[in-house]
Amino acid sequence: MKRLIITLVLLFGLSALSAQEGAAPAGEPRTDSVAASGDAATAAGERADDSGAESSAGSLWDRANTAYINGDYHAALEMYERILAGGMGSAKLYYNLANACFKEGQTGRAILFYHRALRLAPGSDDIRYNLSVAEARTKDRIEEIPAFFLTEWARAVRRTMSCTAWSVLSLAALAFALGLFLLYLLAPRLSLRKAGFYGTAVAAALFVLTTWFAAGERREMLDDSQAVVMAASTAVKSSPDKSATDLFVLHEGTLVKISDWLEGWCEITIADGKKGWLECRTIERI
């Protein structure tokens, strides 16, 4: 009976792993160009309305990419926005939309969409590079409070893959741990049982670590407290009142963290720790 229970647990872990193998992180786009993909266009087209090819999201995707390549950034921007308004969303779409906004001089919106793309594809060096170029165009130079070096290292490792990729890796580690534990229980030779025991410990530690990374990526992906200043400039007040004292001024493209809100006002914190209130209409959540 004991062996039967162990075998059933192992089979359950393997079946969970197989169910997740179909999910893969989005492909990385090329720097300073559109991320064109037949798969992305096909997926968009399958979810679009059946009113004809010209009105489908797949057709819009191809036309928008063509317009971008030909230098017609305004037209490309309009078509990407139409796809987004139709309920579509992907790292490639946000990346292309951000590039078009940047080319049109809309720095704040470009930074907003680069951040949205990064949440879906945190391992993309192209998105991070273009985001850094866009942030260099902003007026505010805010010195960020340095984090503990181990925290920064863990965050950098976690961002090398998406939440889905970390989840798949954690399930693989769980399957290895179960298999090695089974080896530890059933192996006739002492050397194999030792290998199974130590292998189980390593695989279990890897499972905990990758699960923690997956949870962290998911938490960051769903975080709605971060926002980007969209107004050309906005005064940060000492209280949620237009007649309150101006503490400092923020400009388009600056990243803020929302901690509270009250009747159209948001309490925000910037990277150097300063706090204040500004009108919610001047920012947009990532």
Side-chain angles (χ1 to χ4, degrees):
M1 178 61 70
K2 182 179 178 181
R3 294 185 178 182
L4 177 60
I5 293 174
I6 295 172
T7 304
L8 289 175
V9 172
L10 177 59
L11 290 175
F12 174 80
L14 291 174
S15 63
L17 175 61
S18 300
Q20 291 290 333
E21 284 179 347
E28 295 181 2
R30 294 171 295 170
T31 304
D32 199 30
S33 65
V34 295
S37 169
D39 293 338
T42 301
E46 287 176 353
R47 295 177 57 188
D49 188 28
D50 296 331
S51 57
E54 287 298 318
S55 62
S56 70
S59 176
L60 277 175
W61 174 264
D62 292 336
R63 289 162 53 198
N65 289 347
T66 301
Y68 185 96
I69 293 171
N70 292 334
D72 191 355
Y73 305 120
H74 182 73
L77 178 58
E78 287 186 343
M79 285 183 275
Y80 287 136
E81 287 178 331
R82 286 173 61 186
I83 297 173
L84 188 63
M88 310 299 164
S90 69
K92 293 177 182 179
L93 175 58
Y94 288 134
Y95 176 77
N96 288 5
L97 188 53
N99 282 345
C101 287
F102 183 79
K103 293 292 187 179
E104 285 290 287
Q106 301 177 20
T107 306
R109 296 189 71 213
I111 292 173
L112 174 70
F113 290 122
Y114 281 135
H115 276 290
R116 288 180 178 177
L118 268 181
R119 289 194 172 188
L120 299 178
S124 173
D125 292 332
D126 294 327
I127 300 176
R128 291 192 182 278
Y129 173 78
N130 281 13
L131 174 60
S132 67
V133 172
E135 288 178 334
R137 299 284 184 92
T138 60
K139 293 183 179 181
D140 296 324
R141 295 291 178 266
I142 302 172
E143 186 176 351
E144 186 174 358
I145 299 175
F148 185 52
F149 76 97
L150 286 178
T151 303
E152 287 293 337
W153 176 82
R155 186 180 295 130
V157 173
R158 191 192 72 201
R159 288 176 175 173
T160 58
M161 294 194 298
S162 67
C163 172
T164 302
W166 283 118
S167 298
V168 172
L169 188 58
S170 70
L171 288 174
L174 176 61
F176 274 113
L178 292 173
L180 291 168
F181 183 67
L182 194 62
L183 177 66
Y184 164 71
L185 292 177
L186 305 178
R189 294 170 54 186
L190 180 60
S191 58
L192 290 177
R193 294 184 64 185
K194 286 184 177 180
F197 176 79
Y198 291 114
T200 299
V202 172
L206 183 61
F207 168 71
V208 172
L209 182 63
T210 52
T211 301
W212 179 52
F213 282 163
E217 274 303 303
R218 177 174 174 78
R219 183 171 57 253
E220 186 169 310
M221 185 173 63
L222 298 177
D223 180 23
D224 64 349
S225 65
Q226 288 190 317
V228 176
V229 175
M230 305 304 290
S233 64
T234 182
V236 180
K237 305 282 188 177
S238 59
S239 62
D241 190 336
K242 288 187 177 181
S243 61
T245 304
D246 292 350
L247 299 178
F248 50 92
V249 176
L250 295 179
H251 299 85
E252 181 183 5
T254 301
L255 188 68
V256 301
K257 186 176 181 65
I258 302 172
S259 55
D260 198 3
W261 59 89
L262 177 65
E263 297 180 353
W265 289 83
C266 292
E267 185 184 37
I268 58 95
T269 305
I270 57 177
D272 61 4
K274 293 180 181 177
K275 288 186 176 183
W277 291 83
L278 48 71
E279 293 183 87
C280 295
R281 62 181 177 82
T282 62
I283 60 177
E284 186 168 345
R285 294 177 188 268
I286 296 174

Short mmCIF file of all heavy atoms in Angstrom, two decimals, residues 59-95:
data_model
loop_
_atom_site.label_atom_id
_atom_site.label_comp_id
_atom_site.label_asym_id
_atom_site.label_seq_id
_atom_site.Cartn_x
_atom_site.Cartn_y
_atom_site.Cartn_z
N SER A 59 -5.19 41.32 -39.35
CA SER A 59 -4.91 42.21 -40.46
C SER A 59 -4.37 43.54 -39.97
O SER A 59 -3.42 44.10 -40.55
CB SER A 59 -6.19 42.43 -41.28
OG SER A 59 -5.97 43.36 -42.31
N LEU A 60 -4.96 44.06 -38.90
CA LEU A 60 -4.47 45.31 -38.33
C LEU A 60 -3.03 45.19 -37.87
O LEU A 60 -2.22 46.11 -38.03
CB LEU A 60 -5.36 45.72 -37.15
CG LEU A 60 -6.66 46.47 -37.46
CD1 LEU A 60 -7.45 46.69 -36.18
CD2 LEU A 60 -6.37 47.80 -38.14
N TRP A 61 -2.71 44.04 -37.28
CA TRP A 61 -1.34 43.80 -36.80
C TRP A 61 -0.35 43.88 -37.96
O TRP A 61 0.68 44.57 -37.87
CB TRP A 61 -1.29 42.44 -36.13
CG TRP A 61 0.08 41.98 -35.71
CD1 TRP A 61 0.92 41.16 -36.40
CD2 TRP A 61 0.76 42.31 -34.50
NE1 TRP A 61 2.08 40.96 -35.69
CE2 TRP A 61 2.01 41.65 -34.52
CE3 TRP A 61 0.43 43.09 -33.40
CZ2 TRP A 61 2.93 41.76 -33.48
CZ3 TRP A 61 1.35 43.20 -32.36
CH2 TRP A 61 2.59 42.54 -32.41
N ASP A 62 -0.65 43.22 -39.06
CA ASP A 62 0.25 43.24 -40.23
C ASP A 62 0.36 44.64 -40.81
O ASP A 62 1.46 45.09 -41.17
CB ASP A 62 -0.26 42.27 -41.29
CG ASP A 62 -0.16 40.81 -40.85
OD1 ASP A 62 0.69 40.52 -39.98
OD2 ASP A 62 -0.93 39.98 -41.36
N ARG A 63 -0.78 45.34 -40.93
CA ARG A 63 -0.76 46.68 -41.49
C ARG A 63 -0.01 47.66 -40.59
O ARG A 63 0.72 48.54 -41.07
CB ARG A 63 -2.20 47.16 -41.73
CG ARG A 63 -2.91 46.45 -42.88
CD ARG A 63 -4.42 46.61 -42.79
NE ARG A 63 -4.81 48.01 -42.67
CZ ARG A 63 -6.00 48.42 -42.24
NH1 ARG A 63 -6.90 47.52 -41.87
NH2 ARG A 63 -6.29 49.70 -42.18
N ALA A 64 -0.19 47.50 -39.27
CA ALA A 64 0.51 48.37 -38.33
C ALA A 64 2.02 48.16 -38.40
O ALA A 64 2.80 49.12 -38.40
CB ALA A 64 0.01 48.13 -36.91
N ASN A 65 2.44 46.90 -38.49
CA ASN A 65 3.87 46.61 -38.59
C ASN A 65 4.45 47.17 -39.88
O ASN A 65 5.56 47.71 -39.90
CB ASN A 65 4.10 45.10 -38.53
CG ASN A 65 3.85 44.52 -37.15
OD1 ASN A 65 3.75 45.25 -36.17
ND2 ASN A 65 3.74 43.21 -37.07
N THR A 66 3.70 47.04 -40.97
CA THR A 66 4.15 47.58 -42.25
C THR A 66 4.28 49.09 -42.19
O THR A 66 5.27 49.67 -42.67
CB THR A 66 3.17 47.18 -43.37
OG1 THR A 66 3.09 45.75 -43.44
CG2 THR A 66 3.64 47.72 -44.70
N ALA A 67 3.29 49.74 -41.58
CA ALA A 67 3.33 51.21 -41.45
C ALA A 67 4.53 51.64 -40.61
O ALA A 67 5.20 52.62 -40.94
CB ALA A 67 2.03 51.71 -40.83
N TYR A 68 4.81 50.90 -39.54
CA TYR A 68 5.95 51.25 -38.70
C TYR A 68 7.26 51.12 -39.47
O TYR A 68 8.12 52.00 -39.42
CB TYR A 68 5.97 50.36 -37.46
CG TYR A 68 7.04 50.73 -36.46
CD1 TYR A 68 6.75 51.56 -35.38
CD2 TYR A 68 8.35 50.28 -36.61
CE1 TYR A 68 7.74 51.92 -34.47
CE2 TYR A 68 9.34 50.64 -35.71
CZ TYR A 68 9.03 51.46 -34.64
OH TYR A 68 10.01 51.81 -33.76
N ILE A 69 7.41 50.02 -40.18
CA ILE A 69 8.64 49.79 -40.95
C ILE A 69 8.83 50.87 -42.01
O ILE A 69 9.95 51.29 -42.30
CB ILE A 69 8.60 48.39 -41.59
CG1 ILE A 69 8.67 47.31 -40.49
CG2 ILE A 69 9.75 48.20 -42.57
CD1 ILE A 69 8.42 45.91 -40.99
N ASN A 70 7.72 51.36 -42.58
CA ASN A 70 7.78 52.39 -43.61
C ASN A 70 7.90 53.80 -43.03
O ASN A 70 7.93 54.78 -43.77
CB ASN A 70 6.53 52.32 -44.50
CG ASN A 70 6.50 51.06 -45.34
OD1 ASN A 70 7.54 50.48 -45.65
ND2 ASN A 70 5.31 50.63 -45.73
N GLY A 71 7.96 53.90 -41.71
CA GLY A 71 8.14 55.20 -41.07
C GLY A 71 6.87 55.97 -40.81
O GLY A 71 6.93 57.13 -40.35
N ASP A 72 5.72 55.37 -41.05
CA ASP A 72 4.45 56.04 -40.79
C ASP A 72 4.02 55.69 -39.36
O ASP A 72 3.11 54.88 -39.12
CB ASP A 72 3.39 55.58 -41.80
CG ASP A 72 2.12 56.43 -41.74
OD1 ASP A 72 2.03 57.29 -40.85
OD2 ASP A 72 1.22 56.22 -42.58
N TYR A 73 4.69 56.30 -38.38
CA TYR A 73 4.49 55.94 -36.98
C TYR A 73 3.11 56.33 -36.47
O TYR A 73 2.55 55.64 -35.61
CB TYR A 73 5.57 56.58 -36.13
CG TYR A 73 6.97 56.24 -36.58
CD1 TYR A 73 7.86 57.23 -36.98
CD2 TYR A 73 7.40 54.91 -36.63
CE1 TYR A 73 9.14 56.92 -37.42
CE2 TYR A 73 8.68 54.59 -37.06
CZ TYR A 73 9.54 55.60 -37.46
OH TYR A 73 10.80 55.28 -37.89
N HIS A 74 2.56 57.43 -36.99
CA HIS A 74 1.23 57.85 -36.54
C HIS A 74 0.17 56.82 -36.90
O HIS A 74 -0.67 56.45 -36.07
CB HIS A 74 0.88 59.21 -37.16
CG HIS A 74 -0.44 59.74 -36.71
ND1 HIS A 74 -0.65 60.25 -35.45
CD2 HIS A 74 -1.64 59.83 -37.36
CE1 HIS A 74 -1.91 60.63 -35.34
NE2 HIS A 74 -2.54 60.39 -36.47
N ALA A 75 0.22 56.33 -38.15
CA ALA A 75 -0.74 55.31 -38.58
C ALA A 75 -0.53 54.02 -37.82
O ALA A 75 -1.49 53.35 -37.41
CB ALA A 75 -0.61 55.07 -40.09
N ALA A 76 0.74 53.64 -37.61
CA ALA A 76 1.03 52.42 -36.85
C ALA A 76 0.48 52.53 -35.43
O ALA A 76 -0.12 51.57 -34.91
CB ALA A 76 2.54 52.17 -36.83
N LEU A 77 0.66 53.69 -34.82
CA LEU A 77 0.17 53.91 -33.46
C LEU A 77 -1.34 53.76 -33.39
O LEU A 77 -1.87 53.11 -32.48
CB LEU A 77 0.59 55.30 -32.98
CG LEU A 77 0.14 55.72 -31.59
CD1 LEU A 77 0.62 54.75 -30.53
CD2 LEU A 77 0.64 57.13 -31.28
N GLU A 78 -2.05 54.34 -34.35
CA GLU A 78 -3.51 54.25 -34.35
C GLU A 78 -3.97 52.80 -34.48
O GLU A 78 -4.92 52.37 -33.81
CB GLU A 78 -4.08 55.09 -35.49
CG GLU A 78 -4.00 56.58 -35.26
CD GLU A 78 -4.70 57.36 -36.36
OE1 GLU A 78 -4.96 56.77 -37.44
OE2 GLU A 78 -4.98 58.56 -36.15
N MET A 79 -3.31 52.02 -35.34
CA MET A 79 -3.73 50.63 -35.54
C MET A 79 -3.39 49.75 -34.34
O MET A 79 -4.17 48.88 -33.95
CB MET A 79 -3.11 50.08 -36.84
CG MET A 79 -3.80 50.62 -38.09
SD MET A 79 -3.15 49.93 -39.63
CE MET A 79 -1.76 51.02 -39.92
N TYR A 80 -2.23 49.97 -33.72
CA TYR A 80 -1.91 49.23 -32.50
C TYR A 80 -2.93 49.55 -31.40
O TYR A 80 -3.34 48.65 -30.64
CB TYR A 80 -0.51 49.59 -32.01
CG TYR A 80 0.62 49.03 -32.84
CD1 TYR A 80 1.72 49.82 -33.18
CD2 TYR A 80 0.59 47.71 -33.30
CE1 TYR A 80 2.76 49.32 -33.95
CE2 TYR A 80 1.63 47.20 -34.07
CZ TYR A 80 2.71 48.01 -34.39
OH TYR A 80 3.73 47.51 -35.15
N GLU A 81 -3.34 50.81 -31.30
CA GLU A 81 -4.34 51.19 -30.29
C GLU A 81 -5.69 50.55 -30.58
O GLU A 81 -6.42 50.20 -29.65
CB GLU A 81 -4.47 52.71 -30.24
CG GLU A 81 -3.27 53.40 -29.59
CD GLU A 81 -3.40 54.91 -29.60
OE1 GLU A 81 -4.06 55.46 -30.52
OE2 GLU A 81 -2.83 55.56 -28.70
N ARG A 82 -6.04 50.39 -31.85
CA ARG A 82 -7.29 49.72 -32.20
C ARG A 82 -7.26 48.26 -31.77
O ARG A 82 -8.25 47.71 -31.29
CB ARG A 82 -7.56 49.85 -33.70
CG ARG A 82 -8.02 51.23 -34.14
CD ARG A 82 -8.10 51.35 -35.63
NE ARG A 82 -9.06 50.39 -36.19
CZ ARG A 82 -9.24 50.21 -37.51
NH1 ARG A 82 -8.51 50.90 -38.37
NH2 ARG A 82 -10.12 49.33 -37.94
N ILE A 83 -6.10 47.61 -31.95
CA ILE A 83 -5.96 46.22 -31.51
C ILE A 83 -6.11 46.14 -29.99
O ILE A 83 -6.81 45.28 -29.45
CB ILE A 83 -4.60 45.64 -31.94
CG1 ILE A 83 -4.49 45.61 -33.46
CG2 ILE A 83 -4.42 44.23 -31.38
CD1 ILE A 83 -3.12 45.20 -33.98
N LEU A 84 -5.46 47.09 -29.28
CA LEU A 84 -5.53 47.11 -27.82
C LEU A 84 -6.95 47.38 -27.34
O LEU A 84 -7.43 46.75 -26.39
CB LEU A 84 -4.58 48.18 -27.29
CG LEU A 84 -4.37 48.22 -25.78
CD1 LEU A 84 -3.72 46.93 -25.29
CD2 LEU A 84 -3.50 49.42 -25.39
N ALA A 85 -7.65 48.28 -28.03
CA ALA A 85 -9.03 48.60 -27.66
C ALA A 85 -9.96 47.41 -27.89
O ALA A 85 -11.02 47.32 -27.26
CB ALA A 85 -9.53 49.81 -28.46
N GLY A 86 -9.57 46.49 -28.78
CA GLY A 86 -10.37 45.30 -29.04
C GLY A 86 -10.20 44.21 -28.00
O GLY A 86 -10.74 43.12 -28.16
N GLY A 87 -9.45 44.49 -26.94
CA GLY A 87 -9.29 43.51 -25.87
C GLY A 87 -8.06 42.65 -25.98
O GLY A 87 -7.89 41.72 -25.19
N MET A 88 -7.19 42.91 -26.96
CA MET A 88 -5.96 42.14 -27.11
C MET A 88 -4.89 42.69 -26.16
O MET A 88 -4.94 43.85 -25.75
CB MET A 88 -5.45 42.21 -28.55
CG MET A 88 -6.50 41.89 -29.59
SD MET A 88 -7.15 40.22 -29.41
CE MET A 88 -8.63 40.34 -30.40
N GLY A 89 -3.93 41.88 -25.86
CA GLY A 89 -2.82 42.33 -25.01
C GLY A 89 -1.72 41.29 -25.00
O GLY A 89 -1.97 40.12 -24.75
N SER A 90 -0.50 41.72 -25.29
CA SER A 90 0.66 40.83 -25.27
C SER A 90 1.91 41.67 -25.12
O SER A 90 1.87 42.90 -25.34
CB SER A 90 0.74 39.99 -26.55
OG SER A 90 1.05 40.81 -27.66
N ALA A 91 3.01 41.04 -24.78
CA ALA A 91 4.27 41.78 -24.66
C ALA A 91 4.66 42.40 -25.99
O ALA A 91 5.16 43.53 -26.04
CB ALA A 91 5.36 40.84 -24.15
N LYS A 92 4.43 41.68 -27.08
CA LYS A 92 4.80 42.19 -28.40
C LYS A 92 3.96 43.42 -28.77
O LYS A 92 4.48 44.39 -29.32
CB LYS A 92 4.62 41.10 -29.45
CG LYS A 92 5.59 39.94 -29.31
CD LYS A 92 5.31 38.87 -30.34
CE LYS A 92 6.26 37.69 -30.15
NZ LYS A 92 6.01 36.62 -31.13
N LEU A 93 2.67 43.36 -28.48
CA LEU A 93 1.80 44.49 -28.78
C LEU A 93 2.21 45.72 -27.97
O LEU A 93 2.32 46.83 -28.51
CB LEU A 93 0.34 44.13 -28.52
CG LEU A 93 -0.68 45.26 -28.69
CD1 LEU A 93 -0.63 45.83 -30.10
CD2 LEU A 93 -2.09 44.76 -28.36
N TYR A 94 2.43 45.55 -26.67
CA TYR A 94 2.83 46.68 -25.83
C TYR A 94 4.19 47.23 -26.27
O TYR A 94 4.41 48.45 -26.25
CB TYR A 94 2.88 46.25 -24.37
CG TYR A 94 1.53 46.02 -23.74
CD1 TYR A 94 1.28 44.89 -22.96
CD2 TYR A 94 0.49 46.93 -23.92
CE1 TYR A 94 0.03 44.69 -22.38
CE2 TYR A 94 -0.75 46.73 -23.34
CZ TYR A 94 -0.97 45.60 -22.58
OH TYR A 94 -2.20 45.39 -22.00
N TYR A 95 5.09 46.35 -26.66
CA TYR A 95 6.41 46.78 -27.11
C TYR A 95 6.30 47.61 -28.38
O TYR A 95 6.90 48.68 -28.50
CB TYR A 95 7.30 45.55 -27.32
CG TYR A 95 8.67 45.86 -27.89
CD1 TYR A 95 9.66 46.37 -27.07
CD2 TYR A 95 8.97 45.62 -29.23
CE1 TYR A 95 10.93 46.66 -27.58
CE2 TYR A 95 10.21 45.89 -29.74
CZ TYR A 95 11.20 46.41 -28.91
OH TYR A 95 12.44 46.69 -29.41
#
